[in-house]
């Protein structure tokens, strides 16, 4: 049995579908709201809140491999959930971290990801760590502006990052959950090419069949707008890693997705075409 946490989320939803379509065996999907969630046929839905390890225990029964997104619960609850997984006999955990653990270890969010990795590596269970770069789906931040026919406001429109399609993170996670050769490995994951915010908007324009404008704004203005929903610390970190303080390691295109899955990483324009409806 494989248990997927964050199963209604960006990676989790794609992962549940991949596991099912690859015939990976029994799959259980965790959500806080089983009545609202809908998963493909054959996937078992279980309720549990990662902030309360006790509520996750029934979901862990009989589980051999766990897909785990740390940081969704309360401070301290990741350790409790991993402890409960170990007690329940889970053998292997695939954990979502971030490339910033390597590229920007001084930033708060990166330090929290590093702590999550360490917790798992000290847990006594086998592990695989996934360190993705910026998700293509972050473009959904622009969805309201684009739907309302406003320009996309962005601080660093011409910095190209090797943005990753979340389905590729799911594909790597599926491989890691089903093939023991990926145990003990840390994978830095990127898309197939660098793409700037301006190029992302152009791809969305092409998918929508109408021109969407880009407005370059100053960092301070962007910080004020983003801090309103992300908080100061995360807004600053996002601005650093999307242009304000990038480095070669962050900009580097890697072939890890192709190496692990056997298929090339999906380009941004594919994500834009698949998700155009969210911007209409
Ligand atoms: N976005 C990026 O560019 C980027 C880059 C690198 C790394 N990352 C990392 O990727 C991770 C996020 O992955 P994602 O985007 O796939 O997640 P996501 O879309 O934010 O989904 C998270 C899911 O987790 C569930 N959840 C939230 N709180 C929960 C709780 N207390 N207990 C149980 N389930 C809970 C929610 O489902 P229910 O409501 O159904 O419970 C939600 O659908 C983060 O750790 C982030 O730092 C992101």
């Amino acid at each position: 049995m494989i248990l997927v946490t964050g199963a209604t989320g960006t990676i989790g939803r794609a992962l549940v579908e991949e596991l099912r379509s690859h015939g990976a065996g029994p799959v259980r999907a965790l959500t806080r709201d089983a009545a609202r969630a809908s998963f493909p046929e054959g996937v078992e839905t279980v309720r549990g809140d990662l902030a309360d390890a006790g509520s996750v225990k029934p979901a862990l029964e009989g589980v051999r491999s766990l897909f785990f997104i740390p940081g969704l619960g309360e401070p301290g609850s990741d350790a409790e959930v991993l402890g409960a997984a170990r007690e329940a006999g889970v053998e292997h955990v695939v954990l979502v971290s971030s490339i910033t653990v390597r590229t920007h270890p001084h930033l708060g969010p990166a330090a929290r990801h590093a702590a999550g990795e360490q917790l798992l590596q000290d847990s006594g269970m086998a592990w695989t760590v996934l360190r993705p770069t910026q998700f293509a789906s972050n473009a959904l931040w622009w969805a309201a502006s684009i739907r309302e026919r406003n320009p996309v406001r962005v601080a660093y429109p011409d910095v190209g990052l090797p943005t990753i399609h979340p389905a590729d993170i799911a594909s790597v996670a599926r491989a890691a959950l089903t093939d023991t050769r990926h145990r003990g490995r840390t994978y830095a994951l990127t898309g197939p090419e660098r793409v700037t915010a301006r190029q992302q908007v152009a791809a969305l324009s092409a998918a929508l069949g109408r021109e969407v404008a880009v407005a370059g704004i100053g960092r301070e203005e962007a910080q004020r707008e983003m801090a309103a929903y992300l908080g100061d610390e995360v807004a600053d970190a996002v601005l650093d890693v999307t242009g304000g303080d990038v480095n070669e390691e962050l900009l580097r295109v890697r072939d890890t997705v192709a190496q692990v899955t056997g298929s090339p990483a999906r380009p941004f324009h594919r994500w834009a075409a698949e998700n155009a409806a969210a911007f209409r």
Side-chain angles (χ1 to χ4, degrees), residues 16 24 43 45-46 60 67 77 86 98 139 141 151 161 200:
V16 167
V43 172
T45 306
V46 279
L60 288 164
F67 174 76
S77 57
R86 170 92 204 264
S98 163
W141 290 345
L161 298 169
Q200 291 186 16

Side-chain angles (χ1 to χ4, degrees), residues 3-226:
L3 175 65
V4 177
T5 68
T8 62
T10 309
I11 307 169
R13 182 164 291 285
L15 174 58
V16 167
E17 181 57 49
E18 270 244 358
L19 289 167
R20 199 198 54 91
S21 64
H22 279 75
V27 177
R28 199 175 274 164
L30 186 86
T31 173
R32 289 165 302 172
D33 187 351
R36 195 173 42 99
S38 76
F39 296 109
E41 219 184 299
V43 172
E44 184 189 340
T45 306
V46 279
R47 210 209 77 83
D49 188 331
L50 292 164
D52 169 13
S55 77
V56 183
K57 281 188 182 165
L60 288 164
E61 270 171 38
V63 170
R64 185 157 169 247
S65 299
L66 170 66
F67 174 76
F68 185 55
I69 303 180
L72 294 175
E74 302 291 329
S77 57
D78 286 345
E80 288 173 18
V81 171
L82 289 175
R86 170 92 204 264
E87 251 176 51
V90 172
E91 266 180 33
H92 176 224
V93 181
V94 175
L95 174 128
V96 178
S97 177
S98 163
I99 204 159
T100 56
V101 170
R102 175 160 181 167
T103 64
H104 291 73
H106 56 285
L107 295 177
R112 290 193 285 279
H113 279 295
E117 292 184 7
Q118 195 61 53
L119 208 54
L120 175 58
Q121 286 163 355
D122 293 342
S123 72
M125 295 178 284
W127 52 267
T128 306
V129 169
L130 310 185
R131 290 180 175 170
T133 192
Q134 183 195 70
F135 297 4
S137 50
N138 292 356
L140 289 168
W141 290 345
W142 307 327
S145 298
I146 294 178
R147 280 196 304 266
E148 290 158 20
R149 314 272 165 161
N150 292 321
V152 168
R153 294 159 58 77
V154 54
Y156 303 106
D158 297 308
V159 174
L161 298 169
T163 303
I164 188 165
H165 192 312
D168 282 328
I169 308 170
S171 296
V172 171
R174 189 257 313 152
L177 287 162
T178 54
D179 182 341
T180 54
R181 286 175 299 179
H182 300 295
R183 295 185 179 189
R185 306 292 301 273
T186 297
Y187 291 128
L189 303 175
T190 75
E193 63 199 359
R194 289 199 217 164
V195 55
T196 67
R198 200 182 297 283
Q199 289 166 332
Q200 291 186 16
V201 172
L204 288 166
S205 297
L208 291 169
R210 68 177 169 85
E211 208 51 41
V212 178
V214 175
I217 59 173
R219 176 170 178 135
E220 276 181 26
E221 199 178 348
Q223 210 280 349
R224 264 198 313 279
E225 289 178 8
M226 292 167 76

Side-chain angles (χ1 to χ4, degrees), residues 203-204 207 268-277 280:
L204 288 166
F268 180 84
H269 63 78
R270 177 156 168 192
W271 183 90
E274 290 166 357
N275 292 277
R280 285 220 160 85

